[in-house]
Structures are given as C-alpha cells and as structure tokens.
Amino acid sequence: MRIVAVVNNKGGVGKTTVTANLGAGLAARGQKVLMIDLDPQASLTKSFFTVEESQTYLNGMQTIGAWFRAPDKHRAQILADIVFSPARCNALVSKHGGWLDLVPSDPLIVSSESLIPGAVDGTGNIRPAKFVALHRRLADDLADPVFSKYDVVLVDCAPAFSLTTKMATIAADMLVMPARPDFLSTEAIQVMGQRLLDLTRDFNHHRKAAPDEAPEMRMPRVAVLFTMVQWYNGHPIDVHAQYINEVAALGVPVFQTLVRDRNKEYAAAGRYGVPTILAGGVAPEVRTNLQDCVDELLTFFGRLTP
C-alpha cells in the first residue's frame, strides 16, 4: 500500500482538485483507493456529490471527527467504520476493476488537538509524553490489517502545517505538492521544505525518550505538481516557465506533467458529482492532461523504496 499526502500551506493552488482526480484516476486504472479528507472545509468530500446533494448527504454521514474523538482501543476499526463508498464514482471505476472509498471530513478538526482525549494540557499545548503517539496516530491506524485491501491511500490536507497535516506527512510514503507557477507558490515550496525538516527533527527528538515506541521519522519523498499553467503556442507562457525552472533548479522533483489552466472545466465538476477525470462532457485534452498526472504518479511509486 502506498500512502500519498497532498500538501501545500498556500491555498488556491488546486490541491483538492488534484487529490480528487488522482484518486479517481487511479481507481479507473483498477486500483483500490482510500481517500481521507483532512481539510475541515470538506471540499474533497463534496467532490463526490452534486451541489444539490452535498448538504443532504453531509448532514447524515459519519465523519473523521469520530476518529479524532475515539479512545486508543479499537481506534483503527472506528476509522474503517467511517468509510463511505461514493456510488456514482464506483459505478464508473468498478467496470475497470477499481474501487474508491472516502473518509469524510469534519469542520471541527480545525482544532483537532482538542478533540483527541488527553492530547493537550491545561494550556492547550500537546503533552510531550503524547507527542510521538499523537503524530503517528494516522500512520499506526493505516497499518492495521483492516486497511490492507487498499493499493493507495490519498490524504487531502488543509492549507496549513497543522497537526492533521503533520499526521499525514508522517504516515506518507510520498508528498505531492500542487503549486501555481508564481512567486508566492515558489516561496511556499521552500517554506514547506524547512517545515518538513523541523518536523523530522522534533519528532526524532521526542522519540529518543522511548525509541521502541515508534520508528525514526525519515523525510518523505516530495514532488511538486504545477497547476493552473497557462499555455501559448504549445508551451507554458514565459513567466510560468520561469518559475517552473526556478523550482526545478532547487533540486526538488517536479512532475513533468503540468496541469493546464482550465478552471471552467474544473468548476463545472459540481454538476457531475464525480471528479473531472470521470465526468462526461469534459474536453478530451483536459481528461488526457489529468490521466498523464496519474501515469506519472504511478511512475513515482515505482521509484519508492519498498
């Protein structure tokens, strides 16, 4: 099983769109996919409903909030019990042998530390004795045999380096970082790199108190996926190409596939109740562009250490 966290501290980069379409695209290739929505805005969850359906379904479904509130005993099973199978999506991908499940988000996880029993002290800070177990909470539960049926887990993270994003990072084999080709996104990539280094240092420092409690944290593989790229005469426009090249010059792995700026197509996904890659009426070049992203993600999987 491969675990991929889709992260970026900067909002508005197409993170949820990337997550939804990678997951649906993998399922359409015959993969068994679990998607976990760790963004309290629940945009990934809403990606599998029409606009008219979403509020009705969301009001009646269990969310990941139940897992955060759960005691340690049987916690992995509680996470498994929250899983929802989007019928419309699975009617399309099951024809190819794939399947997609979803763990819906909850707006209350914006303050996730306060939901976890005994996680914080009276001042609201994480208890040092709980640091390692708390940060490995998602990694440990996804290692439970109840999740062994999945080939890939995709985690959509909030646009902040919060506890939930740190949990996903520690659980992940790989981070996919969607980014716009502009100055602010380039800066955010460098900031994220430093925060990953800080998290690795802090986790391994706390781990020294109980080295048998958890494995040492290693930096996960990171790959930047540029989104909203504008093209002219078959190439990215000059200013976008400049920022793409600057990031590549930092030595950060970059997807060769560039997600083109087709916001109208992606904005219409709410009419279909499935991600754009599966939707009818989508321009063939948009679908092909997304399928190329899936191809390249599978290539990255092949390079990961078993």
Side-chain angles (χ1 to χ4, degrees):
M1 182 172 74
R2 298 298 190 189
I3 303 174
V4 180
V6 183
V7 302
N8 195 323
N9 288 345
K10 186 177 183 300
V13 297
K15 180 176 54 61
T16 296
T17 296
V18 165
T19 310
N21 283 285
L22 287 177
L26 287 166
R29 304 287 180 89
Q31 302 269 305
K32 306 297 188 294
V33 179
L34 175 64
M35 309 194 77
I36 301 177
D37 192 349
L38 284 182
D39 187 339
Q41 298 176 89
S43 295
L44 178 65
T45 304
K46 295 172 186 176
S47 299
F48 294 90
F49 302 102
T50 65
V51 173
E52 294 76 18
E53 293 170 343
S54 62
Q55 203 55 53
T56 300
Y57 275 92
L58 290 172
N59 287 340
M61 67 171 48
Q62 283 191 301
T63 71
I64 199 166
W67 176 72
F68 278 97
R69 290 186 289 268
D72 290 341
K73 190 175 183 181
H74 307 308
R75 201 178 61 206
Q77 185 60 53
I78 290 171
L79 183 62
D81 290 342
I82 298 166
V83 167
F84 169 81
S85 299
R88 186 181 290 108
C89 176
N90 282 316
L92 297 170
V93 302
S94 61
K95 294 184 288 189
H96 307 285
W99 194 259
L100 187 146
D101 284 336
L102 171 70
V103 175
S105 187
D106 188 311
L108 294 179
I109 65 171
V110 71
S111 55
S112 56
E113 294 93 333
S114 65
L115 298 180
I116 300 171
V120 296
D121 59 23
T123 65
N125 293 314
I126 294 174
R127 300 178 188 275
K130 294 275 190 178
F131 188 96
V132 171
L134 191 64
H135 283 76
R136 278 199 56 86
R137 185 181 177 98
L138 184 61
D140 290 341
D141 286 5
L142 289 176
D144 190 276
V146 72
F147 293 106
S148 62
K149 62 184 177 182
Y150 296 108
D151 301 304
V152 182
V153 178
L154 276 165
V155 186
D156 187 30
C157 298
F161 205 59
S162 57
L163 174 62
T164 56
T165 300
K166 292 174 183 178
M167 285 181 177
T169 297
I170 290 170
D173 303 301
M174 177 181 178
L175 306 183
V176 172
M177 191 180 303
R180 298 179 65 167
D182 59 26
F183 171 74
L184 291 176
S185 290
T186 303
E187 184 180 60
I189 290 166
Q190 297 180 68
V191 170
M192 177 61 81
Q194 184 58 53
R195 290 186 172 174
L196 291 173
L197 288 170
D198 292 344
L199 174 61
T200 304
R201 181 199 63 223
D202 292 347
F203 181 89
N204 290 333
H205 169 75
H206 282 87
R207 177 185 169 273
K208 288 179 182 178
D212 296 330
E213 183 179 348
E216 185 177 46
M217 180 184 172
R218 297 180 181 179
M219 281 281 286
R221 186 182 183 94
V222 180
V224 174
L225 174 58
F226 281 103
T227 61
M228 306 181 194
V229 181
Q230 296 178 20
W231 286 62
Y232 181 74
N233 281 345
H235 301 282
I237 61 174
D238 289 346
V239 67
H240 284 183
Q242 173 190 337
Y243 286 115
I244 292 166
N245 292 335
E246 284 181 7
V247 171
L250 295 173
V252 180
V254 175
F255 276 72
Q256 292 182 8
T257 304
L258 307 173
V259 180
R260 301 191 187 192
D261 187 7
R262 298 292 294 265
N263 283 344
K264 288 183 180 179
E265 301 274 0
Y266 297 122
R271 294 203 308 260
Y272 307 121
V274 294
T276 304
I277 197 170
L278 298 180
V282 172
E285 62 270 21
V286 173
R287 195 187 315 277
T288 299
N289 189 199
L290 294 169
Q291 289 171 339
D292 288 345
C293 293
V294 175
D295 286 339
E296 197 163 353
L297 180 62
L298 290 170
T299 300
F300 275 111
F301 286 172
R303 299 175 192 161
L304 295 174
T305 303

